[in-house]
Amino acid sequence: MRARTTALADGITAIDTEYARPQQDASHLVVEQGRAAFVDTGVNASVPLLLEALEAQALDVGDVDYVFVTHVHLDHAGGAGLLLRSLPNARLVVHPRGAPHMVDPTRLVAGTEAVYGREATRELYGDIRPVEPGRILEAADGDTISLAGREFGLFFTEGHARHHYCLHDPASRGVFTGDSFGVSYRELDTTAGPIIFPTSTPVHFDPPEAHRSVDRILAHEPDWVYLTHYSRVGPVERLAVQMHAGIDAFVAIARRCADAPDRKRRLEAALFDYFLERLDEHGYEGDRDSAWHVLDIDVRLNALGLEVWLDREAKTRAAG
């Protein structure tokens, strides 16, 4: 399989990691004055594609200084350990809450197996390789990291996951947002541009923090956001309005379905209906099956995440 890449401006290349389906999950390669960094890695099976994209830039594995993982969910960081074995000079930049899981991925894998099942987890992600502690650089909120003089600003955005940061790149007037600015798939673009949805993937969805994360990204006044799902989109201010509305809609859907005996099924149905309504307003001309093909993973995972959030809310109320 050959790497599918998209050359963007400012030394940035989007690499399709081929996770789940084409154009579902992207790694971004940033090149500055002969030095390189990856932002998110995809899974183990993605690693040869990332190395091929690096070679296509006439770069050697020794030219990579950093692997940034916005958070440690396996579609973003599952390939990090294996990738680093091919990159002798690179350091892994990770949120301090995520760093222990990169050194010992046992609990991370167990949590993923709880969502997908053991067999599916192995099929999707392979054998997750640990990262040597000495190769990890723990990010702090407000850190600046230089790639051959290109300054990246790191800031925490913990509404999607407690181990999440974003990466401000003034050189591209952009922010690499992981999942903190939602998902936007190119198959759903219309003449109105891209459409964006939040993601409440298990287990840390926190609506107030999710709103704050969007606002922290906006505060950098980016022209673009670089999403892992999927790549560069704008204009950012318009999409931020969609994000805030979507977070509130997810909360309303969750509360409406909270006491249903078949809660998971009801959540999935309500989420997909919401997506279809939004797509219709956006001018999407595909049919229901086409939309489901693009969004089925998000529908299922968002429903699971909302269930976890509802249970956590119920425990908090009971304790109070």
Side-chain angles (χ1 to χ4, degrees):
M1 182 187 300
R2 293 193 62 80
R4 305 174 203 241
T5 62
T6 304
L8 305 171
D10 306 300
I12 300 171
T13 299
I15 308 162
D16 193 333
T17 72
E18 302 290 346
Y19 168 75
R21 62 172 178 80
Q23 291 193 302
Q24 202 275 343
D25 185 90
S27 172
H28 289 93
L29 173 63
V30 185
V31 178
E32 182 70 25
Q33 297 184 50
R35 308 306 299 174
F38 288 102
V39 184
D40 286 344
T41 68
V43 297
N44 280 344
S46 310
V47 170
L49 303 175
L50 272 59
L51 295 176
E52 181 185 320
L54 182 70
E55 184 179 358
Q57 297 289 320
L59 294 173
D60 182 75
V61 291
D63 297 327
V64 181
D65 291 335
Y66 299 105
V67 175
F68 296 99
V69 289
T70 57
H71 59 303
V72 301
H73 289 166
L74 293 183
D75 52 332
H76 296 255
L82 183 61
L83 178 63
L84 283 166
R85 295 186 181 197
S86 296
L87 306 176
N89 299 321
R91 298 183 71 187
L92 183 73
V93 183
V94 61
H95 191 291
R97 288 193 181 100
H101 299 293
M102 292 285 90
V103 174
D104 179 3
T106 304
R107 288 179 58 194
L108 186 61
V109 171
T112 307
E113 288 176 350
V115 174
Y116 291 101
R118 183 169 186 176
E119 184 175 337
T121 296
R122 297 294 177 184
E123 183 177 341
L124 283 168
Y125 303 111
D127 183 19
I128 304 303
R129 308 296 175 86
V131 177
E132 296 174 10
R135 301 194 66 184
I136 287 179
L137 178 59
E138 292 190 13
D141 192 24
D143 269 356
T144 299
I145 291 179
S146 177
L147 176 72
R150 182 171 180 163
E151 301 287 317
F152 293 95
L154 282 69
F155 59 99
F156 290 177
T157 51
E158 299 178 353
H160 172 77
R162 296 291 181 226
H163 43 80
H164 201 302
Y165 68 81
C166 289
L167 199 62
H168 178 220
D169 177 30
S172 69
R173 304 165 307 285
V175 176
F176 294 88
T177 58
D179 283 347
S180 290
F181 208 82
V183 302
S184 177
Y185 299 117
R186 305 287 60 77
E187 301 97 320
L188 305 180
D189 291 352
T190 70
T191 55
I195 186 171
I196 205 158
F197 300 108
T199 174
S200 56
T201 301
V203 292
H204 293 143
F205 179 58
D206 181 334
E209 278 297 328
H211 281 299
R212 280 192 282 271
S213 294
V214 172
D215 289 338
R216 289 204 80 182
I217 292 164
L218 271 183
H220 290 84
E221 300 183 346
D223 291 343
W224 307 102
V225 286
Y226 295 87
L227 312 174
T228 304
H229 313 287
Y230 183 85
S231 200
R232 188 180 71 175
V233 293
V236 177
E237 288 190 0
R238 177 178 67 81
L239 296 174
V241 172
Q242 294 182 13
M243 278 293 295
H244 282 303
I247 294 164
D248 290 339
F250 274 28
V251 169
I253 288 168
R255 288 181 172 153
R256 191 165 68 242
C257 298
D259 298 323
D262 53 347
R263 186 175 69 176
K264 180 175 178 291
R265 185 190 66 80
R266 289 281 301 277
L267 280 167
E268 288 180 352
L271 282 166
F272 191 45
D273 285 346
Y274 168 72
F275 290 153
L276 289 175
E277 180 181 351
R278 289 279 320 283
L279 286 170
D280 184 62
E281 295 168 352
H282 191 62
Y284 176 69
E285 296 182 352
D287 60 19
R288 185 182 184 93
D289 287 345
S290 298
W292 178 255
H293 174 72
V294 175
L295 292 167
D296 66 330
I297 295 172
D298 295 278
V299 168
R300 298 177 198 278
L301 290 178
N302 287 338
L304 287 170
L306 291 177
E307 284 205 287
V308 173
W309 176 71
L310 284 168
D311 290 343
R312 189 166 62 240
E313 289 283 289
K315 289 180 182 178
T316 300
R317 287 195 301 271

